[in-house]
């Protein structure tokens, strides 16, 4: 019927009709193939229980395992959890590079979980204990109750829904008694709550969340996972321990008093048992010192910082917001003028149509899976200079992000009681050991762009008579790689206090130091920092906008001039291949199971981590040690000033003016001597009436 068609459609069908026939042939199922099995062979039968458990356990399909066992083996007398643990323990792995498993099975112990009726006599029992496990039922900023366990299988619950002040006052002595060892989960959060009641937690502390992070940094750190993987018990997810969204989480307000009692007692019992299972593992992988001298003391430091918070000038943010609104509107007008058409600049689809269909700024436009043009930042950055509208759109997006993500959002996060922002520092998110923060994420406040830096103006001291002090490690990762590698040329440059990027440029381009141009220095700086992340000739050429051969020559010359760096990189990869992990200066491990992968891309990623993780991780450990030492020294000196922020390699302090000259040398000294390097450590300091001035 092609003669009945018209125009382009007719032409297409006549030209490509054979393809339609071919497609039909390809899509037709052949129904007369001889099969090597019968229908009877396909009949479903009961599974091989042990083989199935081995697979489900290996894949950590815990919920599915419970359901399958219930469906297929309803008469089983052996508990599901026990089956899983047994199958795991009988499936020994010969893989040298797998992460360490905590293969400890908690035997079935009869449980006795009760609510405390006479708190005084129970406190006497706690007071005599050598070690306790405890769990606090946190509900936002409040606490519904606390479960305590002094022996496996036995736990007691103290409700805080009534007379909480009196009960906490009674518990204060036990919580602060140094001779009692205490095992908890996310102790920092507990400290934040207890600080409202002028109570802290003393004694030898064991935080299973932190212990798990050191033992298996890339595995889940939720308490139900730790309990299941370590003890073989299944406990339900609850509240903030759940991976569900906030809307889906089961909060303390949604369950009965008896259920909360059960939750707290069970968790206190499990925490008590986890100590015996997990503590020896810290010694096995040589992270006991890191755990006891860095991570646990840091929880108290961070708790005080979170509770203190930082003041934000809402007026300054409002002023910045108004300026951004004005600039965004102007950019919108400019973009529409260049496009000769009004369109929604926030719509990637409409932006793509304007750039590639209307203005035709590139004939190699990429498309997404949905068929629309790709207009992400990376794509548009490559097109800068092709048309003035591209730069305008990038500027528009930057200002919109600043306004929506920071300037307009920060005032909403100010605590109405304190007038401050109280960020949360996360200790178990970045596998390198670096701290991160959220609500808000202060680590991501822009610093590279002028408009981004303006946001820091809004962070101010507690009052008009105080100042902000910023202390920032200078090029700490480069100093660490110089020290770890032992490269004599780089160590010498730091020891002579040379401009490291200029010194590198002089070596790469074989010129005298005073003959280094700004472009040479810029290229050398990119290589210096790129080497840490395993930058390739292609990657360097992209960043610098130069030919790939020129970029490869620069890297080759770099390794010629700094042979120690090249040897360090090669040795790091080789050691990772043998051990399956790399370590920081303090022994923090990063496991690299893909280091011997046959997949080039996967293996390459692991190799870059083998080079970078010890450097980034050592920098993270270094500032943590500095924070602990500074915190302790400030207490000893009885200073009223406070350490309030940590952002990457920078610390920020709320300083009483009269304490400034005491605090500055104290901070510099503790930061410089946190870890011993083969090169001098430099700390940049600034003081101001806001964070931007201080930085």
């Amino acid at each position: 019927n092609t003669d009945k068609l018209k125009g382009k459609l007719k032409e297409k069908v006549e030209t490509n009709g054979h393809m339609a026939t071919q497609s039909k042939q390809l899509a037709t199922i052949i129904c007369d193939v001889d099969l090597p099995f019968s229908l009877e062979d396909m009949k479903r039968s009961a599974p091989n229980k042990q083989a199935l458990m081995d697979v489900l356990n290996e894949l950590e399909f815990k919920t599915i395992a419970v359901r399958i066992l219930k469906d297929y083996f309803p008469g089983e007398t052996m508990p599901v959890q026990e089956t899983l643990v047994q199958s795991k323990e009988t499936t020994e792995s010969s893989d040298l590079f797998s992460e360490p498993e905590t293969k400890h099975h908690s035997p079935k112990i009869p449980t006795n979980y009760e609510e405390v009726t006479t708190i005084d006599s129970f406190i006497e029992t706690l007071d005599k204990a050598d070690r306790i496990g405890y769990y606090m039922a946190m509900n936002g900023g409040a606490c519904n109750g606390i479960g305590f366990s002094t022996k496996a299988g036995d736990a007691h619950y103290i409700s805080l829904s009534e007379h909480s002040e009196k009960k906490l006052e009674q518990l204060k002595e036990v919580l602060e008694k140094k001779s009692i060892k205490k095992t908890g989960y996310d102790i920092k959060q507990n400290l934040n709550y207890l600080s409202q009641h002028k109570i802290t937690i003393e004694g030898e502390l064991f935080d299973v969340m932190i212990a798990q992070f050191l033992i298996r940094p890339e595995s889940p750190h939720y308490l139900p996972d730790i309990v299941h993987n370590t003890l073989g018990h299944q406990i339900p997810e609850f509240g903030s321990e759940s991976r569900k969204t906030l809307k889906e989480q089961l909060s303390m307000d949604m369950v009965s008093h008896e259920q909360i009692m059960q939750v707290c007692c069970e968790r206190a019992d499990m925490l008590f048992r986890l100590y015996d299972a997990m503590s020896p593992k810290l010694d096995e992988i040589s992270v006991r010192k890191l755990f006891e001298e860095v991570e646990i003391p840091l929880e108290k430091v961070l708790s005080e910082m979170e509770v203190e918070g930082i003041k934000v000038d809402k007026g300054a943010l409002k002023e910045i917001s108004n300026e951004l609104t004005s600039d965004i509107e102007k950019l919108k007008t400019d973009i529409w003028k260049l496009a000769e058409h009004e369109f929604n600049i926030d719509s990637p689809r409409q932006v793509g149509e304007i750039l590639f269909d209307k203005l035709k700024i590139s004939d190699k436009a990429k498309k997404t899976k949905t068929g629309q043009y790709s207009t992400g930042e990376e794509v548009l950055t490559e097109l800068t200079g092709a048309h003035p509208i591209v730069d305008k759109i990038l500027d528009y997006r930057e200002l919109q992000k600043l306004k929506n993500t920071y300037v307009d959002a920060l005032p909403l996060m100010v605590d109405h009681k304190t007038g401050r922002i109280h960020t949360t520092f996360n200790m178990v998110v970045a596998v390198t050991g670096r701290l991160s923060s959220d609500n808000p994420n202060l680590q991501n406040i822009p610093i590279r762009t002028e408009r981004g830096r303006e946001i820091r103006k809004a962070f101010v001291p507690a009052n008009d008579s105080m100042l902000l002090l910023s202390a920032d490690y200078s090029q700490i990762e480069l100093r660490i790689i110089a020290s770890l590698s032992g490269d004599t040329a780089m160590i010498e440059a730091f020891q002579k206090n040379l401009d490291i990027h200029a010194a590198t440029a002089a070596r790469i381009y074989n010129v005298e130091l005073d003959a280094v141009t700004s472009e040479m220095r810029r290229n050398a700086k990119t290589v210096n920092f790129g080497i840490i992340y395993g930058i390739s000739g292609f990657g360097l050429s992209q960043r610098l906008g130069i030919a790939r051969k020129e970029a490869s020559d620069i890297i080759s010359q770099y390794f010629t001039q700094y042979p120690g760096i090249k040897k360090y990189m090669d040795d790091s990869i080789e050691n990772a291949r043998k051990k399956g992990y790399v370590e920081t200066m303090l022994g923090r491990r990063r496991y690299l199971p893909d280091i011997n992968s046959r997949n080039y891309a996967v293996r390459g990623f692991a190799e870059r981590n083998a080079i970078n993780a010890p450097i980034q991780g050592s920098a993270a450990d270094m500032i943590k040690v500095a924070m602990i030492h500074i915190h302790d020294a400030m207490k000893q000196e009885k200073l009223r000033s406070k350490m309030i922020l940590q952002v990457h390699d920078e610390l920020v302090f709320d300083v009483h003016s009269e304490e400034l000259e005491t605090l500055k040398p104290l901070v510099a000294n503790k930061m410089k001597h946190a870890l011993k390097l083969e090169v001098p450590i430099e700390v940049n300091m600034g003081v101001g009436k806001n964070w931007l001035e201080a930085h």
Side-chain angles (χ1 to χ4, degrees):
N1 292 307
T2 51
D3 57 310
K4 297 175 183 175
L5 300 175
K6 294 180 181 179
K8 271 283 182 187
L9 181 59
K10 181 178 181 181
E11 182 186 329
K12 284 182 179 179
V13 173
E14 287 180 341
T15 306
N16 301 301
H18 66 285
M19 291 176 68
T21 309
Q22 187 182 55
S23 295
K24 182 184 177 184
Q25 181 191 350
L26 289 170
T28 300
I29 298 173
I30 299 173
C31 300
D32 57 353
V33 175
D34 289 330
L35 300 176
F37 47 80
S38 67
L39 192 62
E40 187 63 28
D41 295 330
M42 296 290 96
K43 189 175 180 180
R44 189 173 69 166
S45 58
N48 179 323
K49 187 180 69 175
Q50 189 59 56
L52 179 60
M53 286 302 100
D54 289 346
V55 172
L56 294 176
N57 187 63
E58 180 188 353
L59 299 175
E60 297 185 1
F61 286 173
K62 293 170 288 187
T63 306
I64 294 174
V66 171
R67 192 169 69 237
I68 287 178
L69 282 185
K70 184 179 176 183
D71 290 345
Y72 282 101
F73 307 101
E76 275 295 338
T77 55
M78 185 164 49
V80 171
Q81 296 93 335
E82 199 169 314
T83 306
L84 282 171
V85 173
Q86 284 186 358
S87 67
K88 184 172 193 172
E89 291 185 330
T90 54
T91 310
E92 292 295 334
S93 170
S94 60
D95 183 1
L96 178 64
F97 306 115
S98 60
E99 292 185 27
E101 296 281 358
T102 308
K103 293 184 179 176
H104 183 285
H105 174 48
S106 180
K108 287 292 286 182
I109 298 172
T111 56
N112 175 44
Y113 299 158
E114 296 178 349
E115 182 166 358
V116 173
T117 52
T118 311
I119 192 167
D120 290 331
S121 60
F122 178 66
I123 286 174
E124 286 180 19
T125 303
L126 289 180
D127 194 54
K128 294 173 186 173
D130 161 78
R131 176 168 67 85
I132 62 174
Y134 79 94
Y135 181 83
M136 297 175 66
M138 300 305 299
N139 184 15
C143 178
N144 284 58
I146 310 177
F148 290 97
S149 175
T150 56
K151 64 178 181 179
D154 191 81
H156 292 76
Y157 174 70
I158 296 176
S159 172
L160 295 179
S161 56
E162 293 179 348
H163 312 297
S164 61
E165 286 290 344
K166 183 183 177 184
K167 290 175 181 176
L168 286 168
E169 186 59 38
Q170 290 173 287
L171 287 167
K172 179 180 171 74
E173 187 177 339
V174 169
L175 291 170
E176 296 186 348
K177 190 169 183 178
K178 293 187 176 179
S179 61
I180 302 176
K181 299 174 184 176
K182 301 170 184 79
T183 301
Y185 177 82
D186 195 1
I187 290 175
K188 174 167 67 68
Q189 186 187 34
N190 305 156
L191 289 166
N192 288 4
Y193 168 74
L194 292 171
S195 70
Q196 302 169 35
H197 305 275
K198 296 183 170 50
I199 300 172
T200 185
I201 307 174
E202 298 295 342
E204 183 184 309
L205 305 183
F206 192 92
D207 190 330
V208 301
M209 182 181 77
I210 303 295
Q212 175 77 350
F213 182 63
L214 293 181
I215 295 166
R216 300 186 67 192
E218 297 198 53
S219 56
H221 307 112
Y222 296 98
L223 185 55
D225 288 305
I226 299 172
V227 169
H228 177 264
N229 293 333
T230 309
L231 300 177
H233 287 278
Q234 201 91 28
I235 64 172
E237 293 182 356
F238 201 83
S240 59
E241 298 167 356
S242 173
R243 279 148 295 197
K244 296 176 181 177
T245 64
L246 283 171
K247 288 181 181 178
E248 296 172 318
Q249 283 180 12
L250 187 64
S251 76
M252 298 292 178
D253 301 325
M254 298 162 64
V255 294
S256 68
H257 177 86
E258 289 71 24
Q259 285 175 304
I260 293 177
M261 185 204 83
Q262 178 70 21
V263 163
C264 286
C265 287
E266 185 177 39
R267 279 160 168 68
D269 179 14
M270 294 300 118
L271 286 164
F272 183 86
R273 302 189 206 190
L274 281 168
Y275 177 86
D276 288 330
M278 298 180 79
S279 184
K281 200 70 185 176
L282 298 176
D283 296 313
E284 282 179 38
I285 62 172
S286 306
V287 291
R288 170 78 63 184
K289 188 174 180 181
L290 178 63
F291 178 77
E292 292 182 350
E293 296 183 16
V294 180
E295 297 294 333
I296 295 298
L298 187 68
E299 288 201 86
K300 290 191 174 183
V301 177
L302 293 175
S303 171
E304 289 190 23
M305 290 167 66
E306 290 179 6
V307 170
E308 186 69 21
I310 185 168
K311 188 176 177 182
V312 171
D313 184 345
K314 288 186 178 181
L317 286 171
K318 181 67 177 171
E319 192 177 313
I320 295 170
S321 180
N322 291 338
E323 289 174 7
L324 287 173
T325 299
S326 176
D327 292 344
I328 287 167
E329 286 303 314
K330 185 179 182 306
L331 277 168
K332 188 184 288 186
T333 303
D334 291 345
I335 291 167
W336 285 346
K337 190 175 179 182
L338 288 166
E340 299 177 352
H341 178 64
E342 287 191 13
F343 65 100
N344 182 2
I345 307 169
D346 297 315
S347 164
R349 182 182 63 79
Q350 292 187 35
V351 168
E353 289 170 356
I354 291 293
L355 295 182
F356 303 114
D357 287 340
K358 189 173 192 302
L359 299 177
K360 301 189 185 301
I361 65 171
S362 173
D363 56 0
K364 296 179 181 177
K366 299 175 185 174
K367 288 194 175 183
T368 64
K369 289 180 180 178
T370 58
Q372 70 182 43
Y373 291 111
S374 179
T375 60
E377 185 179 353
E378 190 177 327
V379 172
L380 294 191
T381 302
E382 288 179 11
L383 294 170
T384 51
H387 193 287
I389 198 172
V390 177
D391 292 308
K392 295 280 186 184
I393 291 172
L394 285 170
D395 289 345
Y396 173 89
R397 286 182 177 177
E398 184 202 345
L399 298 192
Q400 280 280 47
K401 182 179 179 181
L402 289 177
K403 186 176 185 300
N404 297 335
T405 308
Y406 301 107
V407 179
D408 291 347
L410 286 173
L412 304 177
M413 297 182 178
V414 174
D415 187 292
H416 68 278
K417 292 179 185 174
T418 65
R420 299 180 177 211
I421 279 179
H422 301 268
T423 189
T424 298
F425 292 100
N426 304 309
M427 300 177 69
V428 296
V429 172
V431 289
T432 56
R434 277 197 177 275
L435 296 175
S436 66
S437 73
D438 54 39
N439 298 318
N441 182 355
L442 297 178
Q443 311 273 357
N444 273 3
I445 289 182
I447 191 63
R448 290 196 175 96
T449 63
E450 185 179 343
R451 299 307 295 271
R453 286 192 289 271
E454 288 287 304
I455 297 170
R456 297 192 174 210
K457 273 186 182 177
F459 291 83
V460 295
N463 59 55
D464 292 339
S465 66
M466 297 179 73
L467 297 163
L468 287 186
L469 167 67
S470 166
D472 195 358
Y473 276 122
S474 172
Q475 300 165 334
I476 193 62
E477 290 187 350
L478 283 179
R479 293 173 193 269
I480 287 171
I481 195 174
S483 187
L484 289 177
S485 68
D487 187 274
T488 52
M490 189 168 278
I491 289 173
E492 183 184 7
F494 278 121
Q495 287 176 338
K496 289 182 177 179
N497 199 28
L498 299 177
D499 176 337
I500 188 64
H501 303 310
T504 299
R507 286 182 167 273
I508 290 175
Y509 291 102
N510 194 26
V511 297
E512 294 298 322
L513 196 59
D514 55 8
V516 171
T517 65
S518 58
E519 185 182 354
M520 289 177 180
R521 186 185 181 280
R522 180 177 70 91
N523 291 355
K525 181 178 180 179
T526 305
V527 180
N528 269 332
F529 288 121
I531 286 296
I532 296 171
Y533 297 95
I535 196 168
S536 64
F538 174 74
L540 185 62
S541 70
Q542 292 286 99
R543 287 197 202 176
L544 297 178
I546 60 178
R548 195 182 302 188
K549 185 179 186 311
E550 183 184 350
S552 297
D553 289 344
I554 289 174
I555 292 176
S556 177
Q557 185 64 9
Y558 183 94
F559 287 140
T560 301
Q561 295 299 324
Y562 295 118
I565 302 287
K566 181 72 169 94
K567 185 175 186 305
Y568 162 79
M569 293 169 68
D570 293 341
D571 289 350
S572 294
I573 293 169
E574 187 56 35
N575 287 333
R577 286 200 178 113
K578 290 177 183 175
K579 297 179 179 178
Y581 62 85
V582 290
E583 294 176 298
T584 68
M585 293 171 67
L586 293 186
R588 182 187 305 278
R589 290 189 181 185
R590 173 77 187 271
Y591 291 93
L592 301 166
D594 295 324
I595 194 71
N596 290 314
S597 171
R598 293 180 183 179
N599 183 303
Y600 175 81
V602 171
R603 186 177 69 251
F605 182 73
E607 289 173 352
R608 289 191 291 277
N609 279 328
I611 296 164
N612 175 248
I615 301 164
Q616 263 204 359
S618 294
D621 291 343
M622 191 171 187
I623 199 163
K624 286 179 176 179
V625 171
M627 290 168 75
I628 295 163
H629 291 172
I630 290 167
H631 173 268
D632 293 346
M634 288 174 72
K635 294 273 187 194
Q636 195 172 341
E637 294 286 330
K638 296 185 167 71
L639 298 180
R640 292 176 298 145
S641 301
K642 302 285 186 181
M643 179 163 50
I644 54 174
L645 284 185
Q646 188 263 30
V647 180
H648 303 303
D649 302 321
E650 176 186 12
L651 299 176
V652 181
F653 300 82
D654 223 344
V655 186
H656 288 269
S657 302
E658 65 274 16
E659 294 180 349
L660 182 62
E661 294 311 314
T662 302
L663 188 60
K664 283 173 71 176
L666 182 155
V667 170
N669 179 57
K670 299 302 180 186
M671 288 180 76
K672 287 180 179 180
H673 295 97
L675 292 182
K676 182 172 173 52
L677 300 184
E678 298 299 316
V679 298
I681 297 165
E682 293 296 321
V683 177
N684 299 321
M685 286 195 166
V687 179
K689 277 294 183 183
N690 59 60
W691 191 9
L692 181 62
E693 269 186 33
H695 188 81

